[in-house]
């Protein structure tokens, strides 16, 4: 039997167990990225910073991932998989110790960037190994399904650990759990991978290190602009203007390097294919709309007063929906690749249904059961959209482009996530202000509802022992709080409606593409018949 290029003979004797262990190592790698997504308030208190700073630390990690991912696909062929992964995991452990010890947010953000490079090494290598364990005709589909299902669900699973830690001790004790997982991954890698090189080594000088440096400068600049820009009034801020100029120069230098190199990090020829551009557009749009789920989590924590543990439990319903729909999508695509457009349109329709559900049902007192159903439906929609869109995008480019499609899809997720962070912040700021001013203009002494509510609050506080002046002040505060909550609910409803309309637009684009493709195919067939 021919030796596997990465796994040793003992691992190949127990293929089922080995596959489970590979998925576990993939999960451990992804956990380093999403370890505190659902406990961000604890980080804000711990570091004494603004929410934007924590968002920047998250996106710095993602910047590290997408900067190093194309480098890692080449670098990985220079070392044995075992040595390569174990070295990366050891570096990750050191970075986690540093993250645990630091109380400086700038140092924390820098460490998160380098943790992103470690995640890129581990995740990129595991992606290749997972592909190599599958039959040739199913390799890309099944490998991608496992990989991206893990991406969409890991944050919720790690949220169970991190929320429990945050409730019972300092949040940064999460790093003890992450380090323990990395030690487990070290043991697994030592046991199942070959100690020797089983493929031809590639020289390190063929790697575009300067291109990676240019892209790091661009991605970090872009993240900074999109996160801090809305609060600093965009280009009216000198710092935003300078960073934007720096990022633009870095982008130009990166593109120039890719255009002239024989072995670039990404093959720019991929952008000549219309279906690839369409898939990338859908991916960016999907990630922008998908993050409306965070509005539900924010509503549960901010308005309903749920704990992080309750929010994580709600997120499990979303993960279940993702896993079910991805499994169904894999089965349908294996049956017939022509099902890809149908699955995408189905996902868009379900996403419209989810957004309209939330638009019509959002009130100040929803229960867990009221939210679990739409959250589950959103997971179903995500699975139907995400995997088929990835297959559509990756199948649009020829094999000579290498890993370009996967890398650019990762770029698309980065852009889509930043668009949602910036867009949701801007929309919530503007719509909140608009709706609250609308309420306040109608709250006059002639409004009987206001008068009655004010009297009820005053009587309540008087019965608690407050004097008349204190009761009046507290009554006014309660009315302001109610107006704020109503303004936030109306803002969320507006964003859900915008999400539904954007999904309608995506369906129109998809239908135009399908019809246009059929017309072009029929025209080409007719010309071939005439030529014959």
């Amino acid at each position: 039997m021919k030796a596997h290029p990465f796994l040793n003979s003992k691992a190949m004797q127990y293929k089922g167990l080995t596959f489970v262990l590979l998925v576990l190592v993939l999960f451990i790698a992804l956990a380093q990225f999403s370890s505190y997504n659902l406990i961000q308030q604890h980080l804000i208190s711990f570091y004494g910073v603004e929410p934007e700073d924590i968002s920047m630390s998250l996106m710095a990690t993602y910047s590290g991932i997408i900067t190093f991912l194309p480098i890692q696909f080449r670098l990985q062929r220079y070392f044995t998989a075992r040595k390569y992964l174990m070295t990366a995991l050891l570096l990750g452990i050191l970075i986690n110790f540093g993250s645990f010890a630091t109380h400086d947010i700038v140092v924390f953000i820098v460490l998160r960037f380098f943790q992103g490079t470690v995640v890129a090494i581990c995740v990129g290598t595991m992606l290749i190994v997972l592909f190599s364990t599958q039959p040739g005709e199913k390799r890309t589909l099944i490998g991608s399904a496992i990989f991206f299902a893990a991406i969409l669900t890991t944050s919720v699973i790690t949220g169970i650990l991190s929320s429990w830690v945050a409730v019972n001790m300092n949040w940064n004790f999460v790093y003890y759990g992450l380090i323990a997982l990395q030690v487990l991954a070290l043991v697994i890698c030592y046991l199942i991978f070959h100690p020797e090189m089983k493929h031809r080594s590639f020289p390190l000088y063929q790697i575009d290190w300067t291109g990676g440096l240019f892209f790091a400068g661009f991605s970090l600049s872009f993240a900074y602009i999109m996160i801090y820009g809305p609060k600093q009034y965009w280009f009216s801020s000198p710092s935003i203007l300078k960073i934007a100029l720096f990022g633009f120069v870095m982008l130009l230098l990166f593109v120039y390097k890719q255009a002239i190199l024989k072995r670039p990090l990404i093959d720019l020829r991929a952008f000549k294919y219309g279906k690839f551009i369409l898939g990338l557009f859908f991916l960016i749009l999907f990630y922008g709309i998908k993050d409306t789920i965070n509005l539900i989590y924010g509503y549960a924590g901010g308005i309903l007063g749920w704990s992080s543990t309750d929010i994580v439990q709600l997120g499990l319903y979303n993960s279940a929906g993702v896993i079910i729909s991805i499994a169904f999508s894999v089965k349908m695509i294996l049956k017939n690749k022509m099902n890809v457009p149908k699955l995408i349109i189905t996902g868009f329709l379900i996403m419209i249904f989810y957004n309209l559900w939330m638009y019509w049902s959002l009130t100040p007192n929803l229960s867990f059961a009221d939210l679990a159903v739409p959250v589950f439906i959103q997971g179903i929609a995500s699975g139907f959209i995400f995997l088929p869109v990835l297959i559509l995008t990756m199948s649009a480019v020829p094999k000579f482009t290498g890993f370009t499609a996967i890398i650019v899809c990762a770029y698309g997720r980065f852009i889509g996530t930043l668009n949602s962070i910036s867009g949701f912040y801007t929309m919530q700021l503007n719509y909140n202000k608009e709706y609250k001013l609308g309420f306040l203009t109608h709250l006059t002494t002639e409004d009987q509802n206001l008068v009655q509510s004010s009297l009820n609050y005053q009587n309540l506080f008087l019965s608690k022992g407050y004097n008349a002046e204190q009761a009046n002040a507290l009554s006014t505060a309660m009315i302001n709080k109610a107006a704020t909550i109503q303004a936030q609910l109306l803002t969320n409803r507006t964003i859900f409606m915008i999400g539904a309309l954007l999904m309608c637009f995506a369906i129109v684009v998809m239908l135009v593409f399908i019809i246009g493709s059929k017309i072009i195919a029929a025209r080409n067939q007719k010309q071939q018949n005439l030529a014959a």
Side-chain angles (χ1 to χ4, degrees):
M1 185 177 70
K2 186 179 178 181
H4 192 275
F6 305 108
L7 302 170
N8 60 36
S9 57
K10 184 65 71 175
M12 293 306 295
Q13 289 178 12
Y14 304 96
K15 291 183 179 179
L17 176 61
T18 299
F19 183 78
V20 172
L21 292 176
L22 290 173
V23 174
L24 178 59
V25 174
L26 174 64
F27 164 78
I28 291 170
L30 291 170
Q32 311 302 316
F33 170 49
S34 56
S35 54
Y36 59 88
N37 284 14
L38 298 177
I39 57 167
Q40 294 186 36
Q41 288 299 323
H42 295 275
L43 276 76
I44 293 169
S45 301
F46 182 83
Y47 288 107
V49 294
E50 297 294 325
E52 291 80 11
D53 299 317
I54 304 305
S55 296
M56 186 64 201
S57 71
L58 285 167
M59 297 314 296
T61 312
Y62 207 108
S63 174
I65 293 172
I66 61 175
T67 294
F68 209 78
L69 192 60
I71 295 174
Q72 112 75 27
F73 283 131
R74 292 186 179 277
L75 190 65
Q76 173 260 331
R77 292 185 287 181
Y78 186 77
F79 303 100
T80 64
R82 185 164 81 172
K83 183 184 295 184
Y84 187 54
L85 283 169
M86 291 180 71
T87 302
L89 287 165
L90 286 171
L91 289 173
I93 289 172
L94 292 176
I95 292 170
N96 276 334
F97 275 120
S99 299
F100 173 81
T102 186
H103 289 255
D104 188 307
I105 189 62
V106 176
V107 174
F108 181 70
I109 291 173
V110 171
L111 289 172
R112 292 302 299 174
F113 175 84
F114 287 110
Q115 189 67 270
T117 65
V118 171
V119 173
I121 291 172
C122 297
V123 169
T125 303
M126 294 313 301
L127 179 62
I128 294 171
V129 176
L130 281 169
F131 280 1
S132 70
T133 62
Q134 300 302 314
E137 68 278 4
K138 301 178 181 179
R139 182 170 295 172
T140 301
L141 178 61
I142 296 178
S144 298
I146 296 167
F147 179 65
F148 293 110
I151 287 177
L152 290 172
T153 58
T154 299
S155 61
V156 176
I157 297 171
T158 54
I160 297 173
L161 167 67
S162 58
S163 63
W164 182 87
V165 171
V167 169
N168 292 280
M169 58 193 77
N170 285 340
W171 79 270
N172 60 353
F173 279 51
V174 167
Y175 287 109
Y176 287 138
L178 294 176
I179 290 168
L181 289 173
Q182 287 173 316
V183 171
L184 175 61
L186 274 170
V187 174
I188 293 172
C189 291
Y190 180 80
L191 292 175
I192 68 175
F193 285 102
H194 275 304
E196 298 93 16
M197 181 82 72
K198 294 294 180 180
H199 52 79
R200 185 166 66 91
S201 177
F202 279 69
L204 291 179
Y205 67 80
Q206 294 181 354
I207 298 175
D208 181 18
W209 297 102
T210 55
L213 187 63
F214 291 148
F215 188 82
F218 162 70
S219 60
L220 287 170
S221 299
F222 185 61
Y224 184 93
I225 292 165
M226 296 298 285
I227 292 170
Y228 293 98
K231 202 166 188 178
Q232 297 183 24
Y233 301 101
W234 297 103
F235 297 109
S236 60
S237 166
S239 62
I240 293 291
L241 193 59
K242 290 175 184 176
I243 291 172
L245 180 61
F246 172 77
F248 181 67
V249 171
M250 291 293 102
L251 177 61
L252 288 179
L253 290 172
F254 173 72
V255 173
Y256 174 73
K257 284 277 292 183
Q258 305 316 296
I260 64 172
L261 285 179
K262 182 181 179 181
R263 297 179 181 85
L265 296 176
I266 62 169
D267 194 327
L268 297 179
R269 290 174 293 180
F271 291 93
K272 294 180 181 178
Y273 299 91
K275 194 162 74 167
F276 177 74
I277 301 295
L278 178 70
L280 196 57
F281 164 74
F282 283 149
L283 191 65
I284 294 172
L285 183 64
F286 162 70
Y287 261 104
I289 303 304
K290 170 189 170 294
D291 284 348
T292 55
I293 195 76
N294 292 330
L295 296 179
I296 298 180
Y297 297 150
Y299 159 81
I303 294 178
L304 299 182
W306 290 9
S307 68
S308 54
T309 303
D310 295 330
I311 295 171
V312 168
Q313 289 174 356
L314 182 65
L316 288 173
Y317 284 83
N318 188 256
S319 297
V322 169
I323 293 169
I324 291 169
S325 56
I326 283 184
F328 181 80
S329 297
V330 168
K331 186 176 180 180
M332 295 301 294
I333 295 171
L334 286 174
K335 187 176 181 181
N336 188 349
K337 288 186 178 180
M338 297 302 293
N339 287 325
V340 167
K342 298 175 185 176
L343 289 168
I344 294 173
I345 291 175
T346 301
F348 287 153
L349 288 170
I350 296 173
M351 192 66 84
I352 291 170
F353 178 68
Y354 148 76
N355 278 283
L356 292 178
W357 181 315
M358 292 307 303
Y359 175 81
W360 290 113
S361 66
L362 199 60
T363 60
N365 55 354
L366 294 180
S367 67
F368 188 95
D370 294 329
L371 292 176
V373 176
V375 165
F376 175 76
I377 290 172
Q378 199 268 1
I380 293 286
S382 297
F384 276 133
I385 296 171
F386 193 46
L387 180 63
V389 165
L390 284 168
I391 298 301
L392 174 75
T393 308
M394 291 191 292
S395 64
V397 295
K399 290 184 178 180
F400 65 75
T401 59
F403 288 99
T404 294
I406 293 176
I407 295 164
V408 175
C409 283
Y411 293 171
R413 183 186 177 186
F414 179 73
I415 294 169
T417 302
L418 283 172
N419 279 339
S420 72
I421 291 173
S422 176
F424 288 165
Y425 178 89
T426 302
M427 284 192 288
Q428 290 192 76
L429 189 67
N430 293 334
Y431 285 122
N432 252 314
K433 183 179 178 180
E434 178 184 336
Y435 288 129
K436 194 166 184 180
L437 285 174
F439 282 133
L440 293 177
T441 56
H442 290 86
L443 295 180
T444 66
T445 54
E446 297 177 359
D447 188 328
Q448 292 303 310
N449 289 328
L450 171 64
V451 172
Q452 188 60 48
S453 297
S454 180
L455 286 173
N456 289 340
Y457 282 130
Q458 288 180 44
N459 290 332
L460 174 65
F461 290 119
L462 287 171
S463 68
K464 299 290 185 181
Y466 293 93
N467 61 41
E469 185 178 351
Q470 291 173 329
N472 185 54
L474 289 170
S475 171
T476 303
M478 292 297 293
I479 290 171
N480 281 331
K481 181 181 178 182
T484 300
I485 290 174
Q486 288 299 322
Q488 183 61 56
L489 292 176
L490 286 172
T491 297
N492 289 354
R493 288 184 63 192
T494 301
I495 295 172
F496 283 121
M497 179 55 73
I498 292 171
L501 293 174
L502 287 173
M503 288 291 98
C504 290
F505 174 70
I507 290 175
V508 172
V509 172
M510 190 67 187
L511 291 174
V512 169
F513 169 75
I514 293 171
I515 295 169
S517 298
K518 289 184 176 180
I519 291 172
I520 292 171
R523 186 182 299 165
N524 291 338
Q525 184 64 42
K526 185 177 180 181
Q527 289 176 350
Q528 290 176 3
N529 293 336
L530 290 173

